[in-house]
Amino acid sequence: MSYAFNNDREYDIIAIGRACIDLNANEYNRPMEETMTFTKYVGGSPANITIGSSKLGLKTGFIGKIPDDQHGNFIKKYMSEAGIDTSNIVVDKEGHKVGLTFTEIKSPEECSILMYREEVADLYLHPDEVSEAYIKQAKVLLVSGTALAKSPSREAVIKAVGLARKNDVTVVFELDYRPYTWKSKEETAIYYSLIAEQSDIVIGTRDEYDMMENLENGNNQETIQNLFKHRPELIVIKHGVDGSYAYEKSGAEYRGQAYKSKVLKTFGAGDSYASAFLYALLNGKDIETALKFGSASAAIVVSKHSSSDAMPSLDEIEQLIAVRA
Ligand SMILES: Nc1ncnc2c1ncn2[C@@H]1O[C@H](COP(=O)(O)OP(=O)(O)OP(=O)(O)O)[C@@H](O)[C@H]1O
Ligand SMILES: O=C(O)C[C@@H](O)[C@H](O)C(=O)CO
């Protein structure tokens, strides 16, 4: 089955959350301590997803806060050149800095990220910087879980979700758990549940749903049983290389296989997956096809150096699906 959106809207997706900087190790198969050079990219999960969707041809916008410095200028320019509307990206005037993510590629299977997230501008987005006039122009409001980690960004997101609901904008919640800034697992579970229960579509890894449920080794059937008591109509649960599952409230279930790829690093998989999955849904494709789009896009990005610049074109995704069918 395909998913219905409010089609009389200017933007396909407006995302809210962080636009930051990734510094990706140039030297492969080395620990961070021995990594001497890095390449700079725009990063931050919701920014990456928006860049990916825009590259696939969706009309996108972004709500967020960037620092008033060269890094902020770089992010805004890159996103604008990627075709994203940046009119609702606010420039911080209180001296907050950009979020930095250093990546470590010890081996294709053993990658990690090191994030500097203290006093970052994105977490200082204020509720009064979130505009109803903007949100109501979207088919989809894409919410990143990390933006709930701290006030005032937390309240800005809660306001945005309320405005989306009021204006019949589909709310997509990407759990996007990062263990930085959150004070406790309890706190994460409270805010994740609050937003997940009000969202139409929820996307996350099995581990991220465990964070939401504040348990270990949770299972998909219990997760969907609980969430379907609330607003969600579609729940996507990702299991890394073991693929992903989509569940509809009607009871339908679908499995998406991961495509084998020449893996350079594993990060970026989730963001590329979300951008292509949403592209497919917004273009009226059925859920099985959307899962293939997500998996194909992820397989391409894990074979490349960045998480944003490496987002694939529609042709690349369709070719990979055709070859592996
Ligand atoms: N090594 C891999 N090779 C090919 N495809 C992969 C690989 N890892 C993940 N994928 C694809 O990407 C999807 C999302 O991966 P995963 O569950 O690791 O997301 P994530 O943890 O959100 O990613 P990220 O590391 O970017 O935060 C999977 O469902 C799968 O289709
Ligand atoms: O999400 C982040 O803030 C960092 C990303 O940009 C990074 O590339 C990554 O981890 C993607 O999964």
Side-chain angles (χ1 to χ4, degrees):
M1 225 189 83
S2 55
Y3 195 93
F5 296 91
N6 238 324
N7 281 329
D8 61 336
R9 305 291 167 100
E10 171 83 10
Y11 293 98
D12 292 302
I13 299 179
I14 291 179
I16 183 164
R18 69 191 181 287
C20 301
I21 284 186
D22 283 354
L23 292 165
N24 287 4
N26 289 335
E27 292 105 298
Y28 304 147
N29 308 328
R30 277 199 208 166
M32 183 78 76
E33 289 83 345
E34 292 167 24
T35 304
M36 302 310 285
T37 66
F38 299 83
T39 298
K40 179 176 82 171
Y41 300 101
V42 169
S45 174
N48 294 340
I49 297 172
T50 313
I51 291 165
S53 309
S54 182
K55 198 156 171 185
L56 291 172
L58 293 184
K59 190 151 187 221
T60 60
F62 200 85
I63 304 171
K65 193 170 240 183
I66 52 173
D68 189 11
D69 61 18
Q70 295 93 323
H71 293 312
N73 299 342
F74 165 71
I75 291 167
K76 193 160 181 179
K77 182 165 183 281
Y78 184 93
M79 290 181 73
S80 171
E81 285 174 1
I84 299 163
D85 176 66
T86 57
S87 61
N88 280 249
I89 297 184
V90 183
V91 176
D92 177 270
K93 294 293 174 198
E94 294 168 327
H96 299 116
K97 302 299 178 207
V98 78
L100 288 178
T101 300
F102 297 87
T103 66
E104 177 183 54
I105 309 175
K106 277 194 188 164
S107 74
E109 298 79 35
E110 235 189 322
C111 299
S112 68
I113 58 174
L114 174 63
M115 295 178 100
Y116 286 9
R117 302 269 317 139
E118 288 302 314
E119 294 298 309
V120 287
D122 59 270
L123 289 174
Y124 283 89
L125 181 73
H126 283 263
D128 62 9
E129 291 162 335
V130 171
S131 148
E132 177 169 8
Y134 193 53
I135 287 178
K136 75 181 193 192
Q137 294 179 53
K139 292 178 193 165
V140 165
L141 176 75
L142 175 78
V143 174
S144 143
T146 294
L148 292 164
K150 200 174 175 221
S151 298
S153 161
R154 173 182 290 165
E155 288 74 20
V157 169
I158 293 172
K159 176 180 170 184
V161 170
L163 292 173
R165 292 284 308 273
K166 178 179 166 200
N167 291 286
D168 297 320
V169 175
T170 299
V171 177
V172 178
F173 184 28
E174 226 295 344
L175 297 180
D176 175 37
Y177 175 72
R178 303 292 183 191
Y180 302 84
T181 321
W182 288 103
K183 291 205 180 80
S184 68
K185 289 186 173 174
E186 198 78 39
E187 184 194 39
T188 312
I190 289 168
Y191 288 100
Y192 269 28
S193 302
L194 180 80
I195 297 302
E197 288 170 9
Q198 294 183 57
S199 300
D200 300 283
I201 301 176
V202 185
I203 305 176
T205 63
R206 182 60 255 168
D207 290 349
E208 289 171 334
Y209 284 97
D210 287 356
M211 290 306 300
M212 186 186 83
E213 295 168 50
N214 201 8
L215 47 70
E216 279 170 24
N217 306 316
N219 89 61
N220 292 0
Q221 289 306 321
E222 281 174 23
T223 299
I224 63 168
Q225 225 172 45
N226 292 333
L227 263 187
F228 280 146
K229 289 183 187 142
H230 303 274
R231 172 105 186 154
E233 294 285 336
L234 178 61
I235 298 172
V236 176
I237 308 183
K238 298 175 289 174
H239 290 256
V241 273
D242 296 327
S244 55
Y245 298 85
Y247 302 92
E248 283 187 289
K249 206 173 216 154
S250 64
E253 296 187 9
Y254 311 89
R255 169 134 197 228
Q257 305 282 351
Y259 293 101
K260 275 215 166 21
S261 168
K262 197 171 179 308
V263 181
L264 168 63
K265 45 83 177 151
T266 53
F267 46 84
D271 301 341
S272 43
Y273 179 99
S275 59
F277 179 81
L278 291 174
Y279 167 84
L281 279 194
L282 279 154
N283 277 280
K285 299 194 186 294
D286 58 35
I287 291 170
E288 267 174 307
T289 307
L291 288 172
K292 286 185 184 166
F293 268 64
S295 306
S297 176
I300 294 166
V301 167
V302 293
S303 70
K304 306 252 174 85
H305 195 242
S306 78
S307 303
S308 54
D309 214 43
M311 288 289 181
S313 67
L314 186 55
D315 262 7
E316 286 176 279
I317 292 177
E318 287 180 336
Q319 266 181 36
L320 191 146
I321 295 173
V323 168
R324 308 288 177 88

